[in-house]
Amino acid sequence: MDDELCAVIEPLLPVKPAGTPRPPQLDSRRVLQGILFGLITGIGWEDLPQALGFGSGMTYWRRLRDRQAAGAFERIHQAVLARAHAARLNDVDRVMADGSHVRAKKRGAATGPSPVDRAETGSEHHILTCANGFPLAVALSAAMSTITWYYPHCSTGSGPCAVGRSGPATGSPP
């Protein structure tokens, strides 16, 4: 992570209140890099490589949980998105939607019947990206729900959303 991006992100991260009876916190930049490493590679938190200087995987898992609960990642996404928009890097002439289904063994608020096995529950991850690949929005919903609530222009055909057929690609885009 470069210094310019770090300068945008660090003020948005929660800080430990003074006088908290815990050991001193690790450097925010290193912790964020460890969190990103774990999320991108899919490695288990307990398997975070010590050789990279990440320390305890549980520290990173707790920091991820706490920052997620504090809304830090939403603030970071909005700040980075605003900077990309100001630099005219967002091409919203085409907006692409994608999603994936995950099983939800413990159930929860954002679960619904699995499209594979109705006896099981699941959730769906949705993402909208602009033509340049910048993520514009990310959401979690119950399985078997649609994303039109989340980007209403897609269902009406108005706005920068191209609706195509589902299934494998059959050629080059128009």
Side-chain angles (χ1 to χ4, degrees):
M1 185 174 357
D2 65 5
D3 292 335
E4 184 181 349
L5 181 59
C6 231
V8 172
I9 292 174
E10 282 188 315
L12 303 173
L13 297 174
V15 294
K16 179 177 84 167
T20 305
R22 291 186 182 170
Q25 288 193 337
L26 295 171
D27 175 45
S28 292
R29 185 176 188 163
R30 181 166 301 271
V31 171
L32 188 57
Q33 286 175 329
I35 289 171
L36 292 174
F37 181 84
L39 293 174
I40 291 169
T41 63
I43 193 170
W45 294 112
E46 66 279 358
D47 298 328
L48 238 102
Q50 297 285 327
L52 295 177
F54 289 143
S56 165
M58 283 308 293
T59 297
Y60 290 88
W61 179 83
R62 279 191 299 272
R63 213 61 84 76
L64 172 66
R65 178 198 61 198
D66 295 346
R67 289 176 177 177
Q68 177 118 14
F73 293 110
E74 288 84 7
R75 289 191 303 272
I76 291 169
H77 179 243
Q78 291 303 316
V80 171
L81 196 58
R83 287 179 64 89
H85 181 69
R88 303 176 99 28
L89 297 174
N90 294 344
D91 179 5
V92 291
D93 289 337
R94 285 192 185 187
V95 175
M96 291 149 283
D98 197 5
S100 64
H101 172 80
V102 292
R103 210 169 140 201
K105 293 180 183 181
K106 294 185 179 182
R107 303 185 185 264
T111 60
S114 168
V116 178
D117 181 1
R118 299 295 167 105
E120 300 294 330
T121 57
S123 297
E124 292 181 356
H125 296 149
H126 306 282
I127 186 167
L128 290 172
T129 62
C130 71
N132 294 337
F134 283 108
L136 301 173
V138 179
L140 175 69
S141 71
M144 300 295 290
S145 63
T146 62
I147 65 166
T148 55
W149 60 268
Y150 164 68
Y151 195 69
H153 304 38
C154 288
S155 61
T156 63
S158 65
C161 184
V163 179
R165 295 179 308 205
S166 61
T170 57
S172 60

mmCIF file of all heavy atoms in Angstrom, residues 103-105 107 112-122:
data_model
loop_
_atom_site.group_PDB
_atom_site.id
_atom_site.type_symbol
_atom_site.label_atom_id
_atom_site.label_comp_id
_atom_site.label_asym_id
_atom_site.label_seq_id
_atom_site.Cartn_x
_atom_site.Cartn_y
_atom_site.Cartn_z
ATOM 1 N N ARG A 103 -23.071 -20.601 1.432
ATOM 2 C CA ARG A 103 -23.883 -21.302 2.405
ATOM 3 C C ARG A 103 -23.788 -20.597 3.748
ATOM 4 O O ARG A 103 -22.721 -20.123 4.132
ATOM 5 C CB ARG A 103 -23.372 -22.733 2.530
ATOM 6 C CG ARG A 103 -24.451 -23.683 2.883
ATOM 7 C CD ARG A 103 -23.985 -25.093 2.735
ATOM 8 N NE ARG A 103 -24.548 -25.817 3.864
ATOM 9 C CZ ARG A 103 -24.100 -26.935 4.321
ATOM 10 N NH1 ARG A 103 -23.043 -27.485 3.783
ATOM 11 N NH2 ARG A 103 -24.678 -27.513 5.325
ATOM 12 N N ALA A 104 -24.889 -20.515 4.458
ATOM 13 C CA ALA A 104 -24.916 -19.857 5.768
ATOM 14 C C ALA A 104 -25.342 -20.891 6.807
ATOM 15 O O ALA A 104 -26.520 -21.030 7.116
ATOM 16 C CB ALA A 104 -25.875 -18.668 5.746
ATOM 17 N N LYS A 105 -24.378 -21.601 7.342
ATOM 18 C CA LYS A 105 -24.672 -22.686 8.279
ATOM 19 C C LYS A 105 -25.304 -22.192 9.564
ATOM 20 O O LYS A 105 -26.132 -22.858 10.154
ATOM 21 C CB LYS A 105 -23.398 -23.457 8.611
ATOM 22 C CG LYS A 105 -22.843 -24.214 7.439
ATOM 23 C CD LYS A 105 -21.585 -24.955 7.845
ATOM 24 C CE LYS A 105 -20.983 -25.655 6.660
ATOM 25 N NZ LYS A 105 -19.777 -26.386 7.028
ATOM 26 N N ARG A 107 -27.111 -19.497 9.943
ATOM 27 C CA ARG A 107 -28.259 -18.644 9.649
ATOM 28 C C ARG A 107 -27.958 -17.205 10.014
ATOM 29 O O ARG A 107 -26.853 -16.853 10.304
ATOM 30 C CB ARG A 107 -29.507 -19.171 10.315
ATOM 31 C CG ARG A 107 -29.806 -20.608 9.879
ATOM 32 C CD ARG A 107 -31.102 -21.107 10.428
ATOM 33 N NE ARG A 107 -31.293 -22.497 10.096
ATOM 34 C CZ ARG A 107 -31.988 -22.925 9.058
ATOM 35 N NH1 ARG A 107 -32.543 -22.049 8.251
ATOM 36 N NH2 ARG A 107 -32.127 -24.198 8.811
ATOM 37 N N GLY A 112 -31.507 -16.838 3.366
ATOM 38 C CA GLY A 112 -32.746 -17.281 2.740
ATOM 39 C C GLY A 112 -32.556 -18.696 2.230
ATOM 40 O O GLY A 112 -31.483 -19.287 2.403
ATOM 41 N N PRO A 113 -33.560 -19.262 1.569
ATOM 42 C CA PRO A 113 -33.429 -20.636 1.079
ATOM 43 C C PRO A 113 -32.358 -20.733 -0.007
ATOM 44 O O PRO A 113 -32.280 -19.887 -0.888
ATOM 45 C CB PRO A 113 -34.815 -20.952 0.527
ATOM 46 C CG PRO A 113 -35.445 -19.633 0.272
ATOM 47 C CD PRO A 113 -34.846 -18.679 1.240
ATOM 48 N N SER A 114 -31.535 -21.737 0.097
ATOM 49 C CA SER A 114 -30.462 -21.936 -0.876
ATOM 50 C C SER A 114 -31.049 -22.323 -2.232
ATOM 51 O O SER A 114 -31.988 -23.119 -2.293
ATOM 52 C CB SER A 114 -29.529 -23.043 -0.387
ATOM 53 O OG SER A 114 -28.659 -23.440 -1.413
ATOM 54 N N PRO A 115 -30.519 -21.798 -3.334
ATOM 55 C CA PRO A 115 -31.027 -22.198 -4.654
ATOM 56 C C PRO A 115 -30.638 -23.634 -5.007
ATOM 57 O O PRO A 115 -31.217 -24.231 -5.892
ATOM 58 C CB PRO A 115 -30.378 -21.199 -5.608
ATOM 59 C CG PRO A 115 -29.185 -20.707 -4.900
ATOM 60 C CD PRO A 115 -29.492 -20.781 -3.432
ATOM 61 N N VAL A 116 -29.683 -24.192 -4.289
ATOM 62 C CA VAL A 116 -29.226 -25.550 -4.565
ATOM 63 C C VAL A 116 -29.993 -26.566 -3.736
ATOM 64 O O VAL A 116 -30.431 -27.583 -4.234
ATOM 65 C CB VAL A 116 -27.706 -25.661 -4.279
ATOM 66 C CG1 VAL A 116 -27.225 -27.065 -4.521
ATOM 67 C CG2 VAL A 116 -26.941 -24.668 -5.124
ATOM 68 N N ASP A 117 -30.165 -26.273 -2.461
ATOM 69 C CA ASP A 117 -30.839 -27.181 -1.542
ATOM 70 C C ASP A 117 -31.741 -26.347 -0.651
ATOM 71 O O ASP A 117 -31.276 -25.679 0.266
ATOM 72 C CB ASP A 117 -29.807 -27.960 -0.715
ATOM 73 C CG ASP A 117 -30.444 -28.939 0.250
ATOM 74 O OD1 ASP A 117 -31.689 -29.028 0.273
ATOM 75 O OD2 ASP A 117 -29.704 -29.618 0.971
ATOM 76 N N ARG A 118 -33.033 -26.360 -0.907
ATOM 77 C CA ARG A 118 -33.970 -25.499 -0.188
ATOM 78 C C ARG A 118 -34.007 -25.786 1.314
ATOM 79 O O ARG A 118 -34.463 -24.976 2.085
ATOM 80 C CB ARG A 118 -35.380 -25.621 -0.760
ATOM 81 C CG ARG A 118 -35.485 -25.225 -2.207
ATOM 82 C CD ARG A 118 -35.180 -23.733 -2.351
ATOM 83 N NE ARG A 118 -34.971 -23.389 -3.734
ATOM 84 C CZ ARG A 118 -35.845 -22.746 -4.476
ATOM 85 N NH1 ARG A 118 -36.975 -22.347 -3.978
ATOM 86 N NH2 ARG A 118 -35.568 -22.462 -5.726
ATOM 87 N N ALA A 119 -33.515 -26.950 1.747
ATOM 88 C CA ALA A 119 -33.486 -27.254 3.183
ATOM 89 C C ALA A 119 -32.378 -26.474 3.889
ATOM 90 O O ALA A 119 -32.375 -26.350 5.103
ATOM 91 C CB ALA A 119 -33.295 -28.748 3.399
ATOM 92 N N GLU A 120 -31.426 -25.964 3.128
ATOM 93 C CA GLU A 120 -30.297 -25.209 3.681
ATOM 94 C C GLU A 120 -30.527 -23.716 3.481
ATOM 95 O O GLU A 120 -31.321 -23.299 2.658
ATOM 96 C CB GLU A 120 -28.997 -25.615 2.983
ATOM 97 C CG GLU A 120 -28.640 -27.078 3.123
ATOM 98 C CD GLU A 120 -28.321 -27.470 4.557
ATOM 99 O OE1 GLU A 120 -27.821 -26.609 5.315
ATOM 100 O OE2 GLU A 120 -28.588 -28.618 4.917
ATOM 101 N N THR A 121 -29.790 -22.914 4.244
ATOM 102 C CA THR A 121 -29.884 -21.465 4.083
ATOM 103 C C THR A 121 -28.621 -20.940 3.421
ATOM 104 O O THR A 121 -27.574 -21.596 3.430
ATOM 105 C CB THR A 121 -30.059 -20.763 5.440
ATOM 106 O OG1 THR A 121 -28.976 -21.110 6.278
ATOM 107 C CG2 THR A 121 -31.364 -21.147 6.085
ATOM 108 N N GLY A 122 -28.734 -19.764 2.854
ATOM 109 C CA GLY A 122 -27.578 -19.161 2.222
ATOM 110 C C GLY A 122 -27.716 -17.656 2.121
ATOM 111 O O GLY A 122 -28.771 -17.090 2.422
#
